[in-house]
Amino acid sequence: MAKKLFIPGPTDVSPDVFEQMSKPMIGHRGREFSILLEDCVENLKKLMFTENNIFVCPSSSTGLMEAAVRNCVKNRCLNVGNGAFSNRWHDITKANGKKADLLQLEWGQAPTPELIDEKLSAGNYDAITLVHNETSTGVTAPIYDITEVVKDYDVSFLVDTVSSMGGIRVEVDKLGIDVCLFGVQKAMALPAGLAVCSVSEKALEKAKSIEDRGYYFDFLTYLKYWGRKQTPTTGAISIMQGLRYQLDKILNKEGLENRFKRHKEMGSLCRKWAKKNFDILPEEKYASDTVSCIKNTKEINCKELKQELAEKGYVFANGYGKLADKTFRIAHMGDRTIDELKQYINTIDEILGF
Ligand SMILES: *Cc1c(COP(=O)(O)O)cnc(C)c1O
C-alpha cells in the first residue's frame, strides 16, 4: 500500500491527476503541445499574480535557481541564507563563477527588511536571492516587507517559492519579483521533474547584457521559443498534462483563496499541537503554513517514530541537515486535507503516548 507522504516534498499526487498524465504522448513541435503550453502559462499567471513571461522547464527547482543567477547576476549577488536551501543558493551562485556575499542568519531565523537593507546599502549588488519559504526550518520570510527595501535598490530580485507556491499567497507583480521559481512537486502536488519561473521584462533586458548564460537555461532562448509557443527542448509532456489539469482544479474547483485558507488552517492546527507537546523552531509570526519545523524538546527517538509511522502507512520527515536530531518536520501542503493532518497527529500522539 502506498504510504501517505508527510514530508515537505515530494507530496502525494491525486489519482485523477495521474489519470490525466497517462494520456497518449504528443510531439513537442506540434499544435497540441503549443496549446498545452499556452493553457499552462495562462493559468500559471493567475496562480502567480503576474503578467511576466513564464517558462516551464523540464528540471527540478535547483535547475532554475542556477538559471536565475546565471541569467541575472552581472557584478555581485547578495544571497540571504537562513537554512539549507537559501544557503544552497549561495553555493550555486559561486559555482557559476559569480561574485557573491552571504548574509548568514541563524537557521530558524527569518530575514528582516532591516538586515537586508543594511547589507544592500553596504555592498555594490545588482542581484539578491531570497528563499520565501525555507523548507529546512519552516520559516516564511516576510516578503511583503522585504520588497519595500529591495525596491529602493537597482537589484534583480530572485525568489525561490518552491515550497510555498500554491499554498501561500505570492503576488509576483505586486512584490516586484524579477525571477520567481518553483518546482511542482511540493505545494502544487504534482510529480517531480518540472519547474516553473516567471521572468520580468527588466530581467530579460538585463540578461541580454550578461555573457555566459549557459545553454540549457538561457532565458532569452526560452523567450525566443515562446514566440512560437514552444520550449527549446522536449518538455516534460506528461507532467505538463498533469499541471494543466491541476491548475484548473486549483483555480476553478477549490479556488485559490480557499486553498490558501486550507493551508493557513493546517499550519495553525499543526503549530497548536506542536506547542502543546514540543515547541516550534521559528518565531510564531514567521512560521510557515506549508511545513512546520518542530523542536524535539522531549528528545524523542525520531528514528523509532519514523519506523512506527511507516508501519501505520506514513512517511515521516526528520530535521534537515544539521537540525536532523534537534527537530522534525510535518509537511501540510499540496492536496493534503485538514482531516488527514489530524489523523497523522493523532497517530503520533498514540505512538508517543500523549
Ligand atoms: C525542495 C526545495 C528546493 C530544491 O528543490 P529540487 O526540486 O529538489 O531541486 C529548493 N528550495 C526549496 C525552498 C525547497 O523546498
Short mmCIF file of all heavy atoms in Angstrom, two decimals, residues 52-117:
data_model
loop_
_atom_site.label_atom_id
_atom_site.label_comp_id
_atom_site.label_asym_id
_atom_site.label_seq_id
_atom_site.Cartn_x
_atom_site.Cartn_y
_atom_site.Cartn_z
N ASN A 52 4.19 38.72 -16.16
CA ASN A 52 5.52 38.45 -16.70
C ASN A 52 5.52 37.20 -17.58
O ASN A 52 4.60 36.37 -17.51
CB ASN A 52 6.53 38.21 -15.57
CG ASN A 52 6.89 39.50 -14.85
OD1 ASN A 52 6.68 40.59 -15.38
ND2 ASN A 52 7.43 39.38 -13.65
N ASN A 53 6.57 37.05 -18.36
CA ASN A 53 6.75 35.81 -19.12
C ASN A 53 6.95 34.66 -18.15
O ASN A 53 7.59 34.81 -17.10
CB ASN A 53 7.98 35.93 -20.03
CG ASN A 53 7.65 36.63 -21.31
OD1 ASN A 53 7.00 36.06 -22.19
ND2 ASN A 53 8.05 37.88 -21.43
N ILE A 54 6.42 33.50 -18.56
CA ILE A 54 6.55 32.30 -17.72
C ILE A 54 7.22 31.21 -18.54
O ILE A 54 6.84 30.96 -19.68
CB ILE A 54 5.16 31.82 -17.27
CG1 ILE A 54 4.49 32.94 -16.47
CG2 ILE A 54 5.26 30.50 -16.51
CD1 ILE A 54 3.79 32.57 -15.24
N PHE A 55 8.23 30.59 -17.93
CA PHE A 55 8.91 29.50 -18.61
C PHE A 55 8.69 28.21 -17.83
O PHE A 55 8.78 28.19 -16.59
CB PHE A 55 10.41 29.81 -18.75
CG PHE A 55 10.68 31.10 -19.48
CD1 PHE A 55 11.63 32.01 -19.00
CD2 PHE A 55 9.98 31.42 -20.64
CE1 PHE A 55 11.87 33.22 -19.67
CE2 PHE A 55 10.21 32.62 -21.31
CZ PHE A 55 11.16 33.53 -20.83
N VAL A 56 8.40 27.16 -18.57
CA VAL A 56 8.13 25.86 -17.97
C VAL A 56 9.26 24.92 -18.41
O VAL A 56 9.43 24.69 -19.60
CB VAL A 56 6.76 25.33 -18.46
CG1 VAL A 56 6.45 23.97 -17.88
CG2 VAL A 56 5.65 26.32 -18.12
N CYS A 57 10.02 24.44 -17.44
CA CYS A 57 11.26 23.73 -17.78
C CYS A 57 11.28 22.31 -17.23
O CYS A 57 10.89 22.08 -16.10
CB CYS A 57 12.46 24.46 -17.18
SG CYS A 57 12.49 26.21 -17.51
N PRO A 58 11.78 21.37 -18.03
CA PRO A 58 11.97 20.02 -17.51
C PRO A 58 13.20 19.98 -16.62
O PRO A 58 14.31 19.87 -17.10
CB PRO A 58 12.17 19.17 -18.78
CG PRO A 58 12.60 20.14 -19.83
CD PRO A 58 12.24 21.51 -19.41
N SER A 59 12.99 20.11 -15.33
CA SER A 59 14.10 20.24 -14.38
C SER A 59 13.54 20.16 -12.97
O SER A 59 12.33 20.32 -12.77
CB SER A 59 14.76 21.61 -14.59
OG SER A 59 15.55 21.99 -13.49
N SER A 60 14.39 19.94 -12.01
CA SER A 60 13.94 20.15 -10.63
C SER A 60 14.14 21.63 -10.32
O SER A 60 14.69 22.38 -11.14
CB SER A 60 14.71 19.25 -9.65
OG SER A 60 15.87 19.88 -9.19
N SER A 61 13.71 22.08 -9.16
CA SER A 61 13.77 23.51 -8.81
C SER A 61 15.19 24.05 -8.83
O SER A 61 15.44 25.19 -9.22
CB SER A 61 13.19 23.73 -7.41
OG SER A 61 12.16 22.83 -7.13
N THR A 62 16.13 23.23 -8.39
CA THR A 62 17.53 23.67 -8.30
C THR A 62 18.05 24.17 -9.65
O THR A 62 18.83 25.11 -9.71
CB THR A 62 18.40 22.52 -7.76
OG1 THR A 62 17.82 22.05 -6.54
CG2 THR A 62 19.82 22.98 -7.49
N GLY A 63 17.59 23.55 -10.73
CA GLY A 63 17.99 23.98 -12.06
C GLY A 63 17.64 25.44 -12.29
O GLY A 63 18.44 26.21 -12.84
N LEU A 64 16.47 25.84 -11.84
CA LEU A 64 16.06 27.23 -12.05
C LEU A 64 16.71 28.20 -11.06
O LEU A 64 16.83 29.39 -11.35
CB LEU A 64 14.53 27.35 -12.01
CG LEU A 64 13.82 26.79 -13.26
CD1 LEU A 64 12.32 27.05 -13.20
CD2 LEU A 64 14.42 27.38 -14.54
N MET A 65 17.15 27.69 -9.91
CA MET A 65 17.95 28.55 -9.01
C MET A 65 19.24 28.91 -9.74
O MET A 65 19.71 30.05 -9.73
CB MET A 65 18.26 27.81 -7.70
CG MET A 65 17.02 27.53 -6.85
SD MET A 65 17.34 26.35 -5.51
CE MET A 65 18.01 27.43 -4.24
N GLU A 66 19.81 27.90 -10.41
CA GLU A 66 21.02 28.12 -11.19
C GLU A 66 20.73 29.07 -12.35
O GLU A 66 21.50 30.01 -12.62
CB GLU A 66 21.55 26.78 -11.70
CG GLU A 66 22.81 26.92 -12.51
CD GLU A 66 23.69 25.67 -12.44
OE1 GLU A 66 24.08 25.29 -11.32
OE2 GLU A 66 24.00 25.10 -13.48
N ALA A 67 19.61 28.84 -13.02
CA ALA A 67 19.23 29.70 -14.16
C ALA A 67 19.11 31.16 -13.73
O ALA A 67 19.57 32.07 -14.42
CB ALA A 67 17.91 29.23 -14.75
N ALA A 68 18.50 31.38 -12.57
CA ALA A 68 18.26 32.74 -12.11
C ALA A 68 19.56 33.51 -11.93
O ALA A 68 19.71 34.65 -12.40
CB ALA A 68 17.46 32.72 -10.80
N VAL A 69 20.54 32.90 -11.28
CA VAL A 69 21.81 33.62 -11.06
C VAL A 69 22.61 33.72 -12.36
O VAL A 69 23.26 34.72 -12.63
CB VAL A 69 22.68 33.00 -9.93
CG1 VAL A 69 21.99 33.15 -8.59
CG2 VAL A 69 23.04 31.56 -10.20
N ARG A 70 22.51 32.69 -13.15
CA ARG A 70 23.26 32.65 -14.40
C ARG A 70 22.78 33.76 -15.36
O ARG A 70 23.56 34.37 -16.08
CB ARG A 70 22.98 31.28 -15.01
CG ARG A 70 23.83 30.94 -16.12
CD ARG A 70 24.80 29.86 -15.74
NE ARG A 70 25.83 29.93 -16.73
CZ ARG A 70 26.73 29.02 -16.94
NH1 ARG A 70 26.76 27.97 -16.17
NH2 ARG A 70 27.62 29.18 -17.86
N ASN A 71 21.48 34.01 -15.40
CA ASN A 71 20.89 34.98 -16.32
C ASN A 71 20.82 36.39 -15.73
O ASN A 71 20.68 37.35 -16.48
CB ASN A 71 19.47 34.57 -16.71
CG ASN A 71 19.43 33.47 -17.74
OD1 ASN A 71 19.47 33.72 -18.93
ND2 ASN A 71 19.36 32.22 -17.29
N CYS A 72 20.85 36.51 -14.43
CA CYS A 72 20.53 37.81 -13.82
C CYS A 72 21.58 38.40 -12.88
O CYS A 72 21.37 39.47 -12.34
CB CYS A 72 19.20 37.73 -13.08
SG CYS A 72 17.84 37.29 -14.15
N VAL A 73 22.68 37.70 -12.65
CA VAL A 73 23.72 38.31 -11.81
C VAL A 73 24.84 38.80 -12.72
O VAL A 73 25.42 38.02 -13.47
CB VAL A 73 24.30 37.31 -10.77
CG1 VAL A 73 25.40 38.00 -9.97
CG2 VAL A 73 23.20 36.81 -9.85
N LYS A 74 25.09 40.09 -12.64
CA LYS A 74 26.11 40.67 -13.50
C LYS A 74 27.40 40.92 -12.75
O LYS A 74 28.46 40.46 -13.13
CB LYS A 74 25.57 41.98 -14.09
CG LYS A 74 26.33 42.45 -15.30
CD LYS A 74 25.52 43.50 -16.04
CE LYS A 74 26.26 43.94 -17.28
NZ LYS A 74 25.52 44.98 -17.99
N ASN A 75 27.31 41.65 -11.66
CA ASN A 75 28.52 42.01 -10.92
C ASN A 75 28.66 41.27 -9.59
O ASN A 75 29.63 40.58 -9.36
CB ASN A 75 28.55 43.51 -10.69
CG ASN A 75 28.56 44.25 -12.01
OD1 ASN A 75 29.30 43.90 -12.92
ND2 ASN A 75 27.71 45.26 -12.13
N ARG A 76 27.65 41.44 -8.74
CA ARG A 76 27.76 40.82 -7.42
C ARG A 76 26.36 40.55 -6.85
O ARG A 76 25.47 41.39 -6.97
CB ARG A 76 28.55 41.73 -6.47
CG ARG A 76 28.80 41.13 -5.10
CD ARG A 76 29.68 42.03 -4.26
NE ARG A 76 31.09 41.94 -4.62
CZ ARG A 76 31.95 41.04 -4.12
NH1 ARG A 76 31.55 40.16 -3.24
NH2 ARG A 76 33.20 41.04 -4.50
N CYS A 77 26.25 39.40 -6.24
CA CYS A 77 24.94 38.98 -5.73
C CYS A 77 24.96 38.88 -4.20
O CYS A 77 25.96 38.46 -3.62
CB CYS A 77 24.60 37.61 -6.33
SG CYS A 77 22.97 36.99 -5.87
N LEU A 78 23.85 39.28 -3.60
CA LEU A 78 23.69 39.05 -2.16
C LEU A 78 22.78 37.85 -1.98
O LEU A 78 21.64 37.85 -2.44
CB LEU A 78 23.07 40.28 -1.48
CG LEU A 78 22.77 40.12 0.01
CD1 LEU A 78 24.06 39.90 0.82
CD2 LEU A 78 22.01 41.31 0.57
N ASN A 79 23.29 36.81 -1.32
CA ASN A 79 22.48 35.64 -1.01
C ASN A 79 22.06 35.72 0.45
O ASN A 79 22.91 35.81 1.33
CB ASN A 79 23.26 34.34 -1.23
CG ASN A 79 23.83 34.21 -2.63
OD1 ASN A 79 25.04 34.19 -2.84
ND2 ASN A 79 22.97 34.10 -3.63
N VAL A 80 20.77 35.69 0.69
CA VAL A 80 20.28 35.69 2.07
C VAL A 80 20.14 34.24 2.51
O VAL A 80 19.39 33.48 1.91
CB VAL A 80 18.91 36.41 2.17
CG1 VAL A 80 18.42 36.42 3.60
CG2 VAL A 80 19.01 37.82 1.61
N GLY A 81 20.89 33.85 3.54
CA GLY A 81 20.90 32.45 3.95
C GLY A 81 20.38 32.25 5.36
O GLY A 81 20.92 32.78 6.32
N ASN A 82 19.30 31.47 5.48
CA ASN A 82 18.78 31.16 6.82
C ASN A 82 18.34 29.70 6.91
O ASN A 82 17.45 29.35 7.66
CB ASN A 82 17.63 32.10 7.20
CG ASN A 82 16.44 31.98 6.27
OD1 ASN A 82 16.59 31.69 5.08
ND2 ASN A 82 15.26 32.18 6.80
N GLY A 83 18.99 28.85 6.09
CA GLY A 83 18.64 27.43 6.11
C GLY A 83 19.28 26.74 4.92
O GLY A 83 20.06 27.34 4.17
N ALA A 84 18.97 25.47 4.76
CA ALA A 84 19.66 24.65 3.76
C ALA A 84 19.48 25.16 2.33
O ALA A 84 20.45 25.21 1.56
CB ALA A 84 19.16 23.21 3.85
N PHE A 85 18.26 25.53 1.96
CA PHE A 85 18.03 25.88 0.56
C PHE A 85 18.50 27.29 0.23
O PHE A 85 19.04 27.53 -0.85
CB PHE A 85 16.55 25.68 0.20
CG PHE A 85 16.16 24.23 0.30
CD1 PHE A 85 15.38 23.77 1.36
CD2 PHE A 85 16.62 23.31 -0.63
CE1 PHE A 85 15.06 22.42 1.47
CE2 PHE A 85 16.30 21.97 -0.53
CZ PHE A 85 15.52 21.52 0.53
N SER A 86 18.31 28.22 1.15
CA SER A 86 18.79 29.58 0.91
C SER A 86 20.32 29.59 0.89
O SER A 86 20.94 30.31 0.11
CB SER A 86 18.23 30.54 1.95
OG SER A 86 18.27 29.97 3.25
N ASN A 87 20.94 28.76 1.74
CA ASN A 87 22.40 28.66 1.70
C ASN A 87 22.89 27.96 0.44
O ASN A 87 23.94 28.29 -0.10
CB ASN A 87 22.92 27.94 2.95
CG ASN A 87 23.07 28.90 4.11
OD1 ASN A 87 22.07 29.37 4.66
ND2 ASN A 87 24.29 29.23 4.47
N ARG A 88 22.07 27.01 -0.03
CA ARG A 88 22.43 26.32 -1.28
C ARG A 88 22.54 27.35 -2.42
O ARG A 88 23.39 27.23 -3.28
CB ARG A 88 21.36 25.29 -1.64
CG ARG A 88 21.66 24.56 -2.94
CD ARG A 88 20.49 23.69 -3.40
NE ARG A 88 20.35 22.47 -2.61
CZ ARG A 88 19.45 21.50 -2.90
NH1 ARG A 88 18.64 21.64 -3.93
NH2 ARG A 88 19.37 20.43 -2.15
N TRP A 89 21.70 28.36 -2.38
CA TRP A 89 21.72 29.37 -3.45
C TRP A 89 23.05 30.13 -3.49
O TRP A 89 23.52 30.54 -4.55
CB TRP A 89 20.53 30.34 -3.31
CG TRP A 89 19.90 30.64 -4.64
CD1 TRP A 89 20.45 30.38 -5.86
CD2 TRP A 89 18.62 31.23 -4.89
NE1 TRP A 89 19.58 30.79 -6.85
CE2 TRP A 89 18.46 31.31 -6.29
CE3 TRP A 89 17.60 31.71 -4.05
CZ2 TRP A 89 17.32 31.84 -6.88
CZ3 TRP A 89 16.47 32.24 -4.63
CH2 TRP A 89 16.33 32.31 -6.04
N HIS A 90 23.66 30.28 -2.33
CA HIS A 90 24.98 30.92 -2.29
C HIS A 90 26.01 30.01 -2.98
O HIS A 90 26.83 30.48 -3.77
CB HIS A 90 25.37 31.19 -0.83
CG HIS A 90 26.68 31.91 -0.68
ND1 HIS A 90 26.95 33.12 -1.29
CD2 HIS A 90 27.81 31.57 0.01
CE1 HIS A 90 28.19 33.50 -0.98
NE2 HIS A 90 28.73 32.58 -0.20
N ASP A 91 25.93 28.73 -2.67
CA ASP A 91 26.85 27.77 -3.31
C ASP A 91 26.64 27.76 -4.83
O ASP A 91 27.62 27.71 -5.59
CB ASP A 91 26.62 26.35 -2.76
CG ASP A 91 26.94 26.26 -1.28
OD1 ASP A 91 27.69 27.13 -0.78
OD2 ASP A 91 26.43 25.35 -0.60
N ILE A 92 25.40 27.80 -5.25
CA ILE A 92 25.08 27.78 -6.68
C ILE A 92 25.64 29.04 -7.36
O ILE A 92 26.23 28.98 -8.44
CB ILE A 92 23.55 27.69 -6.91
CG1 ILE A 92 23.01 26.34 -6.44
CG2 ILE A 92 23.20 27.93 -8.37
CD1 ILE A 92 21.48 26.23 -6.42
N THR A 93 25.47 30.18 -6.70
CA THR A 93 25.93 31.45 -7.28
C THR A 93 27.45 31.40 -7.49
O THR A 93 27.95 31.75 -8.56
CB THR A 93 25.55 32.63 -6.35
OG1 THR A 93 24.16 32.51 -6.01
CG2 THR A 93 25.78 33.96 -7.04
N LYS A 94 28.16 30.93 -6.48
CA LYS A 94 29.62 30.85 -6.60
C LYS A 94 30.04 29.79 -7.61
O LYS A 94 30.97 30.00 -8.38
CB LYS A 94 30.23 30.54 -5.22
CG LYS A 94 30.18 31.74 -4.28
CD LYS A 94 30.93 31.47 -2.99
CE LYS A 94 30.31 30.30 -2.26
NZ LYS A 94 30.98 29.97 -0.99
N ALA A 95 29.32 28.68 -7.63
CA ALA A 95 29.67 27.59 -8.56
C ALA A 95 29.52 28.03 -10.01
O ALA A 95 30.08 27.41 -10.91
CB ALA A 95 28.81 26.36 -8.28
N ASN A 96 28.74 29.08 -10.23
CA ASN A 96 28.57 29.60 -11.58
C ASN A 96 29.52 30.75 -11.88
O ASN A 96 29.35 31.49 -12.85
CB ASN A 96 27.11 30.02 -11.82
CG ASN A 96 26.24 28.82 -12.15
OD1 ASN A 96 26.28 28.30 -13.26
ND2 ASN A 96 25.50 28.34 -11.17
N GLY A 97 30.50 30.89 -11.01
CA GLY A 97 31.55 31.89 -11.24
C GLY A 97 31.12 33.32 -10.97
O GLY A 97 31.77 34.26 -11.42
N LYS A 98 30.04 33.50 -10.22
CA LYS A 98 29.57 34.85 -9.92
C LYS A 98 30.12 35.29 -8.56
O LYS A 98 30.29 34.48 -7.65
CB LYS A 98 28.04 34.87 -9.85
CG LYS A 98 27.35 34.32 -11.09
CD LYS A 98 27.38 35.30 -12.23
CE LYS A 98 26.55 34.76 -13.41
NZ LYS A 98 26.49 35.70 -14.52
N LYS A 99 30.34 36.60 -8.46
CA LYS A 99 30.76 37.13 -7.16
C LYS A 99 29.53 37.18 -6.26
O LYS A 99 28.46 37.63 -6.70
CB LYS A 99 31.34 38.54 -7.32
CG LYS A 99 32.66 38.57 -8.07
CD LYS A 99 33.28 39.97 -7.92
CE LYS A 99 34.28 40.24 -9.03
NZ LYS A 99 33.64 40.85 -10.21
N ALA A 100 29.71 36.74 -5.03
CA ALA A 100 28.54 36.69 -4.14
C ALA A 100 28.94 36.82 -2.68
O ALA A 100 30.01 36.35 -2.28
CB ALA A 100 27.81 35.38 -4.35
N ASP A 101 28.08 37.49 -1.91
CA ASP A 101 28.25 37.55 -0.46
C ASP A 101 27.05 36.89 0.18
O ASP A 101 25.94 36.93 -0.35
CB ASP A 101 28.32 39.01 0.01
CG ASP A 101 29.57 39.71 -0.49
OD1 ASP A 101 30.61 39.04 -0.64
OD2 ASP A 101 29.48 40.92 -0.77
N LEU A 102 27.32 36.32 1.34
CA LEU A 102 26.25 35.63 2.06
C LEU A 102 25.86 36.44 3.30
O LEU A 102 26.72 36.78 4.10
CB LEU A 102 26.74 34.24 2.47
CG LEU A 102 25.81 33.37 3.30
CD1 LEU A 102 24.55 33.03 2.53
CD2 LEU A 102 26.53 32.09 3.73
N LEU A 103 24.58 36.76 3.40
CA LEU A 103 24.07 37.32 4.65
C LEU A 103 23.60 36.12 5.46
O LEU A 103 22.53 35.58 5.22
CB LEU A 103 22.90 38.28 4.37
CG LEU A 103 22.04 38.73 5.54
CD1 LEU A 103 22.86 39.38 6.64
CD2 LEU A 103 20.95 39.69 5.07
N GLN A 104 24.47 35.68 6.38
CA GLN A 104 24.16 34.44 7.10
C GLN A 104 23.38 34.71 8.37
O GLN A 104 23.82 35.41 9.26
CB GLN A 104 25.45 33.69 7.44
CG GLN A 104 25.21 32.35 8.13
CD GLN A 104 24.54 31.33 7.22
OE1 GLN A 104 25.13 30.88 6.25
NE2 GLN A 104 23.30 30.96 7.51
N LEU A 105 22.20 34.11 8.44
CA LEU A 105 21.38 34.21 9.64
C LEU A 105 21.35 32.84 10.30
O LEU A 105 21.72 31.84 9.69
CB LEU A 105 19.96 34.64 9.27
CG LEU A 105 19.85 35.87 8.36
CD1 LEU A 105 18.42 36.08 7.93
CD2 LEU A 105 20.36 37.11 9.08
N GLU A 106 20.88 32.83 11.53
CA GLU A 106 20.71 31.55 12.22
C GLU A 106 19.67 30.72 11.46
O GLU A 106 18.71 31.28 10.94
CB GLU A 106 20.14 31.80 13.63
CG GLU A 106 21.06 32.48 14.59
CD GLU A 106 22.12 31.54 15.12
OE1 GLU A 106 21.79 30.36 15.37
OE2 GLU A 106 23.27 31.98 15.26
N TRP A 107 19.85 29.42 11.48
CA TRP A 107 18.80 28.56 10.94
C TRP A 107 17.57 28.68 11.85
O TRP A 107 17.68 28.50 13.05
CB TRP A 107 19.28 27.10 10.89
CG TRP A 107 20.18 26.79 9.74
CD1 TRP A 107 21.13 27.61 9.21
CD2 TRP A 107 20.21 25.58 8.97
NE1 TRP A 107 21.75 26.98 8.16
CE2 TRP A 107 21.20 25.74 7.99
CE3 TRP A 107 19.49 24.38 9.02
CZ2 TRP A 107 21.50 24.74 7.06
CZ3 TRP A 107 19.80 23.39 8.09
CH2 TRP A 107 20.78 23.57 7.13
N GLY A 108 16.46 29.02 11.25
CA GLY A 108 15.24 29.20 12.05
C GLY A 108 14.87 30.66 12.17
O GLY A 108 13.74 31.02 12.46
N GLN A 109 15.85 31.53 11.92
CA GLN A 109 15.60 32.96 11.96
C GLN A 109 14.99 33.39 10.62
O GLN A 109 15.24 32.77 9.59
CB GLN A 109 16.94 33.68 12.14
CG GLN A 109 16.87 35.03 12.83
CD GLN A 109 18.24 35.72 12.82
OE1 GLN A 109 19.28 35.08 12.86
NE2 GLN A 109 18.22 37.04 12.76
N ALA A 110 14.21 34.46 10.66
CA ALA A 110 13.66 34.99 9.41
C ALA A 110 14.48 36.18 8.96
O ALA A 110 14.95 36.96 9.80
CB ALA A 110 12.21 35.41 9.62
N PRO A 111 14.69 36.34 7.67
CA PRO A 111 15.37 37.54 7.20
C PRO A 111 14.43 38.73 7.36
O PRO A 111 13.23 38.62 7.10
CB PRO A 111 15.61 37.25 5.71
CG PRO A 111 14.69 36.15 5.33
CD PRO A 111 14.27 35.43 6.58
N THR A 112 14.96 39.83 7.84
CA THR A 112 14.11 41.01 8.04
C THR A 112 14.52 42.11 7.07
O THR A 112 15.66 42.14 6.59
CB THR A 112 14.26 41.56 9.48
OG1 THR A 112 15.63 41.93 9.68
CG2 THR A 112 13.83 40.54 10.52
N PRO A 113 13.59 43.04 6.79
CA PRO A 113 13.91 44.15 5.89
C PRO A 113 15.12 44.94 6.40
O PRO A 113 15.97 45.35 5.61
CB PRO A 113 12.66 45.02 5.91
CG PRO A 113 11.60 44.23 6.56
CD PRO A 113 12.20 43.06 7.24
N GLU A 114 15.22 45.09 7.71
CA GLU A 114 16.32 45.88 8.29
C GLU A 114 17.68 45.26 7.96
O GLU A 114 18.61 45.95 7.52
CB GLU A 114 16.16 45.99 9.81
CG GLU A 114 14.96 46.79 10.29
CD GLU A 114 13.63 46.04 10.16
OE1 GLU A 114 13.64 44.78 10.12
OE2 GLU A 114 12.57 46.70 10.08
N LEU A 115 17.78 43.94 8.18
CA LEU A 115 19.05 43.25 7.92
C LEU A 115 19.42 43.33 6.45
O LEU A 115 20.59 43.53 6.09
CB LEU A 115 18.94 41.78 8.35
CG LEU A 115 18.87 41.50 9.85
CD1 LEU A 115 18.47 40.06 10.12
CD2 LEU A 115 20.23 41.80 10.50
N ILE A 116 18.42 43.18 5.60
CA ILE A 116 18.67 43.19 4.16
C ILE A 116 19.06 44.59 3.69
O ILE A 116 19.98 44.76 2.90
CB ILE A 116 17.44 42.63 3.41
CG1 ILE A 116 17.33 41.12 3.68
CG2 ILE A 116 17.51 42.92 1.92
CD1 ILE A 116 16.08 40.46 3.14
N ASP A 117 18.38 45.58 4.22
CA ASP A 117 18.68 46.98 3.87
C ASP A 117 20.13 47.33 4.22
O ASP A 117 20.87 47.91 3.43
CB ASP A 117 17.71 47.90 4.62
CG ASP A 117 17.69 49.30 4.05
OD1 ASP A 117 18.13 49.48 2.89
OD2 ASP A 117 17.24 50.22 4.75
#
